[in-house]
């Protein structure tokens, strides 16, 4: 393989040597020639690099939006690259090509008798054997031809070579004696060494200094490299400089000269392609800088919102406590993503505790979850996050596991590897449909679904039919949170007499916060209304930087506030109007207050591209115009007129909305009794089966 690479390089070296008659000049011209040959590739890389930097604001926006979700950010970035036909690996192609060139060049330099002088293999073998015999060794190693050439040029070994017979031997020795390895008095066939002080040490120094100069200039003028962080630039500069220095001490000085000249040629080519294809012509650097600040803000916010060192220790300790040998025999486990999700479990848990002897183990990934204040002998909370959470799911040993988190088994969090008969129970944290805003197969690996209403039952059964899935246990559960909301709403007194507007977007791409929040706020601000922006918990989790930037932007607006505490629903109860897009909270609001919603037609939230295979209209589309009014994103100037219509009762009556509630939700007012009855009954059934066995 090396010979295949070395052959054309040897031909080029031979041609340059015949042209110049000077070995050192041949090396210099060879370095320049290889860079010139690679010029079209350098131009190609320049175009690709410009495309990368031009895309960087979008990449930064993605990274800021999903600051808490690296997998999602990587997926979105890959989609962007595919859309723009950008090849991120193209930038390393010159380096990859340089490697075989260097390998081939080393072979050429180590074998001058073969590649430069074109001696026959038999002649080379005969001369090498004579050199080895004179030195009293069997072989000369990888540098055999260089050693042979230097010995043949040394009169002290003339007698050893005079004995070489065969045709061409004398002519070969004449060619060798005519070969001058020197450049400015330096023997380029020799390998520099720190053990021997000589002018040859200049070569490693030149290789290192040229690498340092190239790296520093690339950090300032290379379209892609100058966008790297200074820490990365410094690290790469230091690495390349030290590598060049060390490398030049391992190979003949000819290769060190090639390296230094190649670096200098690369500098000239960089300036040439910058002049030929100027980056400033294609890149908006002001937009780029703004995106960097947004990303930095998001990263700071994410870092601040992440667990502290003490919390990590606590999570580790709780993980050990959960799996302690003294804590075996768990029958029922609940898992919560963060604080505020307890409200979806509250009625289930309270009824289970009141009507059974079951001990509930409640795992949360929020160190500040309110549930820790509820701890008792039969309600035991744990804080588990990070990698320990992945292991928690893998090692779980219980009878029933209740969650509001879809997509188990699809990503990080798997069904237990320890126990195969766990009943995984899913309960919804929104009343929306199952087949459009949840990803494909989001519920495939659950055993039991606590259904909110007839739409869930129909959708899951149709999904099972379309995909040939086994039937799950479906419980006509309802939505106990709605019962709690309606009770609290009846008792709550509004403290602020001002008209209150709640802006509650979803977390999907293109939601109100990402598409038209400025237009919405500009339409409702300055009218004496109290305006509350309540982002979706998942948006806050994955887009904390974007949220922090918005809050900062409107920090001087006294009538606008951003609500990020999801442990209370006061703003949901007390608001006179909700503005949303495709969030399921619209039904919570309208079904609780019996007031209409104002919908903004942002891009529809579709996480399942196959949702149309389920021939049922999603409830969030079906019900949209039954409980409110919709406006397009470019119609925000009409918000005031529509809001006034809602204020004056010209849209829908309370009786109209109440009838929709009863048609949409199972067992309104039962507080999810069917769900707790199922859980208690299933655990009792398993207990009975265990005692009988």
């Amino acid at each position: 393989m090396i010979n295949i690479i070395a052959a054309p390089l040897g031909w080029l070296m031979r041609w340059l040597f015949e042209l110049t008659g000077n070995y050192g000049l041949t090396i210099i011209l060879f370095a320049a020639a290889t860079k010139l040959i690679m010029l079209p590739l350098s131009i190609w890389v320049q175009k690709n690099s410009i495309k990368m930097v031009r895309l960087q604001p979008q990449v930064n926006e993605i990274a800021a939006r999903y600051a808490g979700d690296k997998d999602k950010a990587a997926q979105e970035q890959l989609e962007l690259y595919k859309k723009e036909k950008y090849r991120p690996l193209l930038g390393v192609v010159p380096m990859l090509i340089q490697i075989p060139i260097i390998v081939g060049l080393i072979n050429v330099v180590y074998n001058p008798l073969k590649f430069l002088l074109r001696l026959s293999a038999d002649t080379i073998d005969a001369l090498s054997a004579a050199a080895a015999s004179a030195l009293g060794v069997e072989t000369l190693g990888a540098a055999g031809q260089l050693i042979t050439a230097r010995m043949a040029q040394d009169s002290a070994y003339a007698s050893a070579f005079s004995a070489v017979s065969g045709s061409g031997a004398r002519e070969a020795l004449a060619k060798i004696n005519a070969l001058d390895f020197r450049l400015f008095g330096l023997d380029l066939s020799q390998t520099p060494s720190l053990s021997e002080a000589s002018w040859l040490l200049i070569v490693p120094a030149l290789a290192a200094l040229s690498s340092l100069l190239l790296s520093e200039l690339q950090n300032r003028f290379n379209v892609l490299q100058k966008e790297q962080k200074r820490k990365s630039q410094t690290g790469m500069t230091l690495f390349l400089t030290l590598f060049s220095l060390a490398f030049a001490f391992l190979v003949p000085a000819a290769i060190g000269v090639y390296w230094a000249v190649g670096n200098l040629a690369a500098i000239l080519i960089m300036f040439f392609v910058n002049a030929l294809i100027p980056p400033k012509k294609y890149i908006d650097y002001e937009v780029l800088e703004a995106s960097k600040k947004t990303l930095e803000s998001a990263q700071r916010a994410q870092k601040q919102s992440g667990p502290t060192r003490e919390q990590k220790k606590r999570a580790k300790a709780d993980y050990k406590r959960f799996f302690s040998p003294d804590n075996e025999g768990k029958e029922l486990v609940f898992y919560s993503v963060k604080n505020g999700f307890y409200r979806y479990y509250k009625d289930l848990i309270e009824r289970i505790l009141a009507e059974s002897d079951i001990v509930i183990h409640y795992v949360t990934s929020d160190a500040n979850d309110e549930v820790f204040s509820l701890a008792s002998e039969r309600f035991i909370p744990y804080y588990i996050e990070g990698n320990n959470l992945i292991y928690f799911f893998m090692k779980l040993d219980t009878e029933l596991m209740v969650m509001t988190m879809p997509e188990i088994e699809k990503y990080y969090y798997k069904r237990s590897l320890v126990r195969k008969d766990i009943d995984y129970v899913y309960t919804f944290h929104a009343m929306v449909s199952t087949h459009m805003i949840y990803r494909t197969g989001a519920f495939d690996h659950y055993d039991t679904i606590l259904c909110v209403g007839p739409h869930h039952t129909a959708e899951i059964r149709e999904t099972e039919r379309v995909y040939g899935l086994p039937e799950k246990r479906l419980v006509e559960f309802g939505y106990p949170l709605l019962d709690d909301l309606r009770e609290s709403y009846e008792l709550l007194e509004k403290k602020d007499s001002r008209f209150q507007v709640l802006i509650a977007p979803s977390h999907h791409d293109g939601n109100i916060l990402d598409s038209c929040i400025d237009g919405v706020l500009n339409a409702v601000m300055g009218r004496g209304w109290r305006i509350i922006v309540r982002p979706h918990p998942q948006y806050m989790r994955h887009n904390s930087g974007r949220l922090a930037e918005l809050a900062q932007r409107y920090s001087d607006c006294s009538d606008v506030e951003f609500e990020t505490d999801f442990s209370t629903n006061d703003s949901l109860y007390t608001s006179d109007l909700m503005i949303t897009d495709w969030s399921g909270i619209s039904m919570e609001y309208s079904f609780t207050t019996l007031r209409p919603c104002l919908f903004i037609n942002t891009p529809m939230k579709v996480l399942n591209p196959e949702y149309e295979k389920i021939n049922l209209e999603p409830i969030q589309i079906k019900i949209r115009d039954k409980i409110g009014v919709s406006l397009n994103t470019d119609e925000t100037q009409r918000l005031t007129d529509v809001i006034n219509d809602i204020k004056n009762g010209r849209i829908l009556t309370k009786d109209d909305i109440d009838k929709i509630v009863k048609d949409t939700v199972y067992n309104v007012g039962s507080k999810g009794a069917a769900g707790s009855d199922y859980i208690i009954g299933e655990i009792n059934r398993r207990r009975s089966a265990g005692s009988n066995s």
Side-chain angles (χ1 to χ4, degrees):
M1 182 65 181
I2 295 177
N3 287 330
I4 293 174
I5 298 171
L9 297 179
W11 178 88
L12 178 59
M13 284 274 284
R14 170 70 179 176
W15 181 77
L16 291 172
F17 181 68
E18 290 178 346
L19 182 68
T20 63
N22 184 284
Y23 183 79
L25 187 56
T26 295
I27 295 294
I28 293 173
L29 291 177
F30 179 81
T34 54
K35 294 297 180 184
L36 192 61
I37 291 170
M38 291 173 62
L39 179 59
L41 181 61
S42 298
I43 294 173
W44 189 27
V45 170
Q46 175 81 349
K47 292 178 180 179
N48 198 63
S49 298
I50 288 175
K51 180 180 286 188
M52 172 69 246
V53 178
R54 186 167 52 81
L55 292 175
Q56 196 60 42
Q58 296 178 63
V59 173
N60 290 344
E61 181 184 348
I62 290 170
R65 184 182 307 164
Y66 301 106
D69 191 343
K70 293 182 180 180
D71 291 323
K72 179 64 174 175
Q75 179 185 346
E76 292 293 320
Q77 185 173 319
L78 183 60
E79 290 299 320
L80 174 65
Y81 288 164
K82 287 181 179 178
K83 178 183 175 183
E84 298 294 334
K85 297 180 180 179
Y86 169 68
R87 301 172 181 83
L89 295 179
L90 191 59
V92 303
V93 170
M95 184 179 297
L96 294 177
I97 290 179
Q98 185 80 341
I99 292 172
I101 290 177
I102 288 293
V103 171
L105 176 63
I106 291 173
N107 197 25
V108 170
V109 168
Y110 272 115
N111 297 281
L113 306 186
K114 175 182 177 181
F115 290 106
L116 286 186
L117 302 184
R118 290 286 193 260
L119 302 183
S120 68
D122 291 340
T123 300
I124 293 173
D125 289 343
L127 294 174
S128 297
S133 177
L135 293 175
V137 296
E138 292 186 5
T139 61
L140 298 176
Q145 291 191 27
L146 281 176
I147 295 172
T148 299
R150 287 198 298 267
M151 290 177 64
Q153 292 175 347
D154 189 342
S155 58
Y157 296 101
S159 59
F161 289 101
S162 63
V164 177
S165 60
S167 60
R170 183 172 298 179
E171 181 182 350
L173 289 169
K175 287 182 178 180
I176 293 173
N177 283 315
L179 178 60
D180 188 356
F181 288 107
R182 290 174 299 172
L183 176 67
F184 303 122
L186 302 177
D187 187 351
L188 301 187
S189 69
Q190 298 281 358
T191 299
S193 174
L194 288 172
S195 63
E196 182 181 344
S198 71
W199 286 105
L200 206 60
L201 294 176
I202 291 175
V203 174
L206 289 175
L209 289 173
S210 64
S211 289
L212 176 62
L213 179 62
L214 173 62
S215 296
E216 286 298 329
L217 290 175
Q218 284 178 329
N219 290 341
R220 293 179 58 189
F221 299 106
N222 180 277
V223 61
L224 192 58
Q225 198 162 315
K226 73 176 184 177
E227 300 303 327
Q228 295 178 350
K229 294 182 179 179
R230 186 57 191 170
K231 184 177 180 179
S232 298
Q233 291 178 339
T234 301
M236 184 56 68
T237 297
L238 183 62
F239 169 76
L240 290 176
T241 301
L242 294 177
F243 173 80
S244 300
L245 182 66
F247 179 66
F249 276 108
L250 299 175
V251 292
I255 297 172
V257 170
Y258 165 85
W259 193 265
V261 174
N263 287 338
L264 297 176
I267 293 172
L268 296 177
I269 287 177
M270 177 182 66
F271 285 115
F272 174 77
V273 295
N274 274 352
L276 184 67
I277 311 173
K280 290 183 179 180
K281 183 178 178 180
Y282 304 95
I283 299 169
D284 189 332
Y285 281 99
E286 290 184 4
V287 171
L288 177 60
E289 288 304 312
S291 73
K292 288 180 181 179
K293 292 179 181 178
T294 300
L295 177 57
E296 289 172 0
S297 176
Q299 290 172 336
R300 282 196 301 271
Q302 178 63 29
K303 186 175 182 180
Q304 291 170 358
S305 64
T308 64
R309 182 178 299 178
E310 290 73 20
Q311 288 172 343
K312 289 180 179 179
K313 289 181 179 178
R314 176 183 161 195
K316 188 175 181 180
D318 274 15
Y319 172 81
K320 290 181 178 179
R321 177 165 61 92
F322 184 91
F323 289 106
S324 169
D326 298 330
N327 196 20
E328 294 180 344
K330 291 178 283 292
E331 294 178 308
L332 179 59
V333 177
F334 282 75
Y335 171 67
S336 173
V337 174
K338 69 181 285 110
N339 187 33
F341 276 68
Y342 176 76
R343 58 185 175 154
Y344 301 110
Y345 300 131
K346 175 178 175 291
D347 293 301
L348 267 177
I349 289 173
E350 289 181 353
R351 198 161 184 269
I352 291 169
L353 292 175
E355 299 188 7
S356 75
D357 62 351
I358 298 170
V359 175
I360 296 174
H361 299 265
Y362 191 101
V363 176
T364 175
S365 293
D366 191 333
N368 300 312
D369 201 310
E370 63 181 327
V371 298
F372 291 104
S373 65
L374 306 175
S376 67
E377 289 185 0
R378 290 181 51 218
F379 183 80
I380 308 172
Y382 308 81
Y383 167 53
I384 302 177
E385 60 88 34
N387 289 335
N388 282 334
L389 188 62
I390 298 175
Y391 304 141
F392 159 77
F393 277 96
M394 293 170 61
K395 294 172 58 178
L396 186 63
D397 184 358
T398 186
E399 302 292 342
L400 274 76
M401 172 68 158
V402 185
M403 293 191 290
T404 63
M405 182 182 70
E407 300 176 350
I408 190 169
E409 195 69 20
K410 292 180 70 67
Y411 297 104
Y412 291 128
Y413 308 122
K414 309 291 186 181
R415 288 178 65 110
S416 175
L417 299 178
V418 173
R419 184 164 179 182
K420 300 301 183 182
D421 67 339
I422 296 175
D423 183 358
Y424 284 85
V425 180
Y426 185 83
T427 183
F428 290 90
H429 60 276
M431 290 180 271
V432 296
S433 287
T434 60
H435 60 301
M436 187 173 81
I437 67 168
Y438 293 97
R439 293 186 178 88
T440 309
F443 307 100
D444 288 357
H445 298 281
Y446 279 92
D447 304 291
T448 303
I449 307 290
L450 305 184
C451 299
V452 169
H455 58 291
H456 282 165
T457 302
E459 291 160 5
I460 292 168
R461 288 292 181 238
E462 179 65 6
T463 300
E464 291 169 347
R465 185 192 68 79
V466 170
Y467 290 97
L469 302 171
E471 282 197 355
K472 299 172 181 61
R473 288 179 289 272
L474 303 184
V475 179
E476 293 186 0
F477 177 54
Y479 199 61
L481 175 61
L482 177 61
D483 300 331
D484 293 337
L485 292 175
R486 296 181 82 163
E487 282 185 4
S488 299
Y489 180 69
E490 292 297 324
L491 299 172
L492 191 68
E493 292 184 8
K494 187 176 179 181
K495 297 178 181 179
D496 194 331
S497 61
R498 289 183 299 168
F499 185 75
Q500 184 169 299
V501 178
L502 177 67
I503 301 173
S506 181
H507 63 93
H508 70 287
D509 291 344
N511 67 76
I512 289 175
L513 291 179
D514 291 336
S515 64
C516 59
I517 185 61
D518 294 322
V520 172
L521 287 176
N522 288 334
V524 296
M525 286 190 308
R527 301 180 184 277
W529 300 340
R530 183 186 181 198
I531 303 159
I532 299 174
V533 181
R534 181 184 170 103
H536 191 284
Q538 290 297 322
Y539 189 91
M540 182 177 172
R541 184 182 184 191
H542 299 310
N543 303 271
S544 54
R546 163 69 173 163
L547 195 59
E549 186 266 329
L550 282 173
Q552 178 63 34
R553 191 193 310 171
Y554 289 97
S555 59
D556 295 333
C557 303
S558 58
D559 50 356
V560 177
E561 58 187 271
F562 285 78
E563 183 176 276
T564 56
D565 181 3
F566 302 107
S567 62
T568 175
N569 290 306
D570 285 358
S571 62
L572 186 65
Y573 305 144
T574 58
S575 293
D576 299 289
L577 171 72
M578 174 183 284
I579 300 176
T580 186
D581 38 44
W582 296 94
S583 174
I585 203 172
S586 60
M587 285 190 280
E588 286 186 15
Y589 173 78
S590 288
F591 288 6
T592 299
T593 66
L594 302 182
R595 296 175 182 271
C597 274
L598 200 163
F599 295 98
I600 304 296
N601 294 327
T602 61
M604 196 159 56
K605 183 178 180 179
V606 179
L607 295 180
N608 179 8
E610 301 179 6
Y611 83 94
E612 291 179 333
K613 288 184 178 181
I614 310 304
N615 192 24
L616 295 167
E617 185 178 32
I619 191 69
Q620 56 269 35
I621 298 177
K622 185 177 181 180
I623 209 169
R624 195 173 179 84
D625 291 327
K626 292 183 179 181
I627 61 171
V629 179
S630 300
L631 294 177
N632 294 328
T633 54
D634 58 356
E635 294 180 304
T636 52
Q637 71 278 3
R638 291 183 52 206
L639 278 171
T640 304
D641 293 337
V642 176
I643 291 172
N644 285 329
D645 285 342
I646 292 174
K647 285 177 66 178
N648 296 323
R650 293 194 289 265
I651 301 296
L652 284 167
T653 68
K654 290 187 176 182
D655 288 341
D656 293 334
I657 298 177
D658 193 42
K659 184 178 184 306
I660 295 170
V661 175
K662 292 171 181 175
D663 291 340
T664 307
V665 182
Y666 285 132
N667 304 316
V668 176
S670 73
K671 293 199 171 184
S676 55
D677 287 346
Y678 169 77
I679 291 172
I680 294 170
E682 179 63 15
I683 289 179
N684 285 335
R685 185 190 68 79
R686 292 187 175 217
R687 285 176 176 176
S688 177
S691 61
N692 291 336
S693 62

